[in-house]
Amino acid sequence: AIPYWLVAGRQAVATSANAEAVGHLKEGLRLVESLPDGVERARQELELLSTLGTALSALQGYASPEVEKTYARAHELCEAIGRTPQQFWVLWGLWAFHLVRGEHHEAVAFGEKMMELGRAEDDLSWELEAHFSLGLSFFFMGRLRPAREHLERAVAIYDPEKHHANAYQTIQDVGVTSRSVAALCLWHLGETELALERSRQALDLAFTLAHPFSKAYALGCAAWFNLYLRDTKTALARAREAVLLSVEQ
């Protein structure tokens, strides 16, 4: 039954039914406890935990104690098993946890590990996520030029047909998030026209994809960006739209 609980959890995450996903995945984890110790048990637990971390992040926020506990246990299993497909996404979850807690040096360390793993595996979709992660970390640290470099590289790499599936692991579409944050970063660097373009692109892509979390992310960043423009009317409208969507979801 365990693999079926995992499939049910993944399908629920893919449709943004995150509360249902948590229930399915925790049922799978309950059953895992009945298995004998060994590599197969560890692998099944890791697959369940890595997906659970995604759903919990959407429901509780990236920095919640349960999210930390989930990803920390998943990281332990990665270390015990060795290189697995879930390893990269566990690193991503730990990066996001430390980022949102304001522990930026720790977050950068996980971002660098992500980049190393993506390059070692020659996986462009992983490198894409690593570029965004490092770009956002550097933006919050005030390191605007390296932030710009990483964010613009993410924008250049992204292909929605190839990379939107990453959102099933991270709950956010990296094409939307990289453009949203790039707009903020570029504005601080005085690149006004490109900043305006990136903000428009982020909203257009988010509404085209119709992925709820990514849409809320784009709206929130757009509200922030409109404050830079001193366009408080549009900023308020974007913020209210983001709140309404978040409550609905």
Side-chain angles (χ1 to χ4, degrees), residues 107-120:
V108 167
F110 282 109
E112 289 173 343
K113 289 179 181 178
M114 290 158 57
M115 185 66 77
E116 290 172 7
L117 189 56
R119 287 173 174 167

Side-chain angles (χ1 to χ4, degrees), residues 8 45 53 71 75 80 95 97 103 106 113 143 156 165 181 188 216 222:
E45 182 182 358
Y71 279 122
H75 193 243
W95 161 78
F97 171 78
E103 297 166 352
E106 291 87 343
K113 289 179 181 178
R143 297 178 59 187
V181 180
H188 284 301

Side-chain angles (χ1 to χ4, degrees), residues 156-173:
I157 293 172
Y158 176 81
D159 179 336
E161 292 186 3
K162 294 179 180 178
H163 302 129
H164 177 63
N166 288 5
Y168 303 148
Q169 300 286 346
T170 65
I171 68 172
Q172 57 187 40
D173 182 273

Side-chain angles (χ1 to χ4, degrees), residues 4-5 15 27 33 73 75-76 108 168 189 192-193 199 202 214 218 231:
Y4 289 101
W5 285 117
T15 58
E27 185 63 25
E33 295 177 1
R73 173 58 181 162
H75 193 243
E76 287 179 12
V108 167
Y168 303 148
L189 288 168
T192 309
E193 291 304 317
S199 184
S214 301
D231 182 357

Side-chain angles (χ1 to χ4, degrees), residues 127-140:
E127 288 186 42
L128 164 62
E129 294 287 348
H131 278 299
F132 167 69
S133 300
L134 290 168
L136 182 54
S137 288
F138 288 142
F139 173 70
F140 281 129

Side-chain angles (χ1 to χ4, degrees), residues 141-167:
M141 296 170 81
R143 297 178 59 187
L144 298 180
R145 295 202 178 279
R148 181 198 188 284
E149 181 180 343
H150 283 292
L151 292 166
E152 284 294 293
R153 181 61 181 147
V155 169
I157 293 172
Y158 176 81
D159 179 336
E161 292 186 3
K162 294 179 180 178
H163 302 129
H164 177 63
N166 288 5

Side-chain angles (χ1 to χ4, degrees), residues 80-233:
I81 297 170
R83 187 166 293 180
T84 70
Q86 288 75 37
Q87 184 178 9
F88 180 87
W89 302 112
V90 170
L91 291 172
W92 195 100
L94 290 167
W95 161 78
F97 171 78
H98 288 290
L99 175 92
V100 177
R101 285 177 60 89
E103 297 166 352
H104 297 302
H105 293 286
E106 291 87 343
V108 167
F110 282 109
E112 289 173 343
K113 289 179 181 178
M114 290 158 57
M115 185 66 77
E116 290 172 7
L117 189 56
R119 287 173 174 167
E121 295 293 324
D122 194 25
D123 190 318
L124 192 60
S125 69
W126 288 2
E127 288 186 42
L128 164 62
E129 294 287 348
H131 278 299
F132 167 69
S133 300
L134 290 168
L136 182 54
S137 288
F138 288 142
F139 173 70
F140 281 129
M141 296 170 81
R143 297 178 59 187
L144 298 180
R145 295 202 178 279
R148 181 198 188 284
E149 181 180 343
H150 283 292
L151 292 166
E152 284 294 293
R153 181 61 181 147
V155 169
I157 293 172
Y158 176 81
D159 179 336
E161 292 186 3
K162 294 179 180 178
H163 302 129
H164 177 63
N166 288 5
Y168 303 148
Q169 300 286 346
T170 65
I171 68 172
Q172 57 187 40
D173 182 273
V174 69
V176 173
T177 58
S178 58
R179 284 165 173 77
S180 295
V181 180
L184 304 174
C185 182
L186 290 161
W187 180 268
H188 284 301
L189 288 168
E191 298 184 53
T192 309
E193 291 304 317
L194 186 55
L196 288 164
E197 182 181 352
R198 291 287 179 259
S199 184
R200 286 192 295 266
Q201 288 174 348
L203 285 168
D204 288 346
L205 179 59
F207 278 76
T208 298
L209 294 172
H211 182 251
F213 191 96
S214 301
K215 189 175 177 182
Y217 193 111
L219 287 166
C221 286
W224 188 358
F225 185 72
N226 283 119
L227 291 178
Y228 292 171
L229 303 179
R230 300 186 182 182
D231 182 357
T232 53
K233 182 178 179 180

